[in-house]
Amino acid sequence: MKTGQMLSIRIYSPQLKKHQTAFVIKDFAKNIKYILNNTNTASARCCVNVSGNAASLIYLIGFGEHNNPLYNYWFNYHSKSINTHELEDLSYQDTVDYLLVDHKNKLREVLRIKNILVDAAPIYVNLAKEMYWTPSEFKQLQNNIMRDFKTYREIWNSIPVNMSA
């Protein structure tokens, strides 16, 4: 995993006695320190996009007054690297844990933030179960979206506020 990226994982919560989806954010120590100083201003947005035969659930989370740094994750239901249970977990989890890892792969902190994917995840799962796409079709969807928006900040700004937390 590269510095500045976010990745979803499925972990077992001993407190809840069940699996849940969490996100790993890997970044430089100075960015993690900034995040930890701005957890009260964390906000997230998500949207479901369909292009051609493919669909994606894009999840963005930002920290601080200007939501910077801004991290993104593209859920691809038909990817071999995603556990489809991750999306199902997000359909019922009230909160999501974020494991903040520095550039040396040292766990610095775990944050717990309200889950805004609770409504979007089941919509995406139901849509994805009715469709099938290849990795190249998904890549084309990503290319189309990034051609239209250019940056993740533009995607963020295009998502209605009611889809954010």
Side-chain angles (χ1 to χ4, degrees):
M1 178 176 183
K2 294 181 183 176
T3 303
Q5 288 187 325
M6 181 169 68
L7 175 71
S8 69
I9 61 170
R10 192 161 193 241
I11 59 175
Y12 182 78
S13 170
Q15 297 93 346
L16 300 174
K17 295 186 177 17
K18 61 183 170 182
H19 284 90
Q20 66 178 41
T21 296
F23 289 94
V24 176
I25 294 176
K26 181 176 179 178
D27 215 332
F28 294 104
K30 67 179 174 114
N31 290 340
I32 291 173
K33 183 177 179 181
Y34 177 82
I35 290 169
L36 293 173
N37 290 332
N38 288 282
T39 56
N40 60 332
T41 55
S43 59
R45 296 186 182 179
C46 64
C47 63
V48 175
N49 288 4
V50 178
S51 178
N53 292 329
S56 176
L57 173 57
I58 302 173
Y59 180 60
L60 303 165
I61 187 163
F63 299 89
E65 184 179 336
H66 302 288
N67 301 305
N68 192 19
L70 181 63
Y71 300 95
N72 70 83
Y73 189 76
W74 297 68
F75 283 98
N76 177 359
Y77 186 84
H78 296 297
S79 168
K80 292 180 179 164
S81 64
I82 188 171
N83 182 336
T84 56
H85 296 293
E86 290 175 18
L87 288 160
E88 293 165 2
D89 293 343
L90 290 168
S91 297
Y92 68 81
Q93 286 179 218
D94 293 329
T95 59
V96 177
D97 288 348
Y98 294 81
L99 290 71
L100 302 178
V101 176
D102 70 17
H103 64 287
K104 296 179 180 177
N105 293 321
K106 182 178 178 185
L107 178 64
R108 293 294 182 168
E109 190 73 44
V110 178
L111 302 177
R112 181 164 287 145
I113 298 174
K114 179 182 173 188
N115 178 17
I116 69 152
L117 293 163
V118 73
D119 294 325
I123 291 169
Y124 179 63
V125 168
N126 290 335
L127 178 67
K129 285 180 179 179
E130 294 180 14
M131 301 172 68
Y132 181 79
W133 53 84
T134 65
S136 62
E137 288 172 320
F138 187 81
K139 186 66 175 164
Q140 185 61 47
L141 171 137
Q142 289 179 303
N143 291 339
N144 290 345
I145 291 170
M146 294 314 295
R147 183 187 66 236
D148 292 343
F149 289 101
K150 310 283 188 278
T151 67
Y152 288 104
R153 178 70 51 205
E154 288 183 27
I155 293 173
W156 175 275
N157 292 335
S158 75
I159 299 171
V161 176
N162 64 353
M163 289 294 288
S164 62

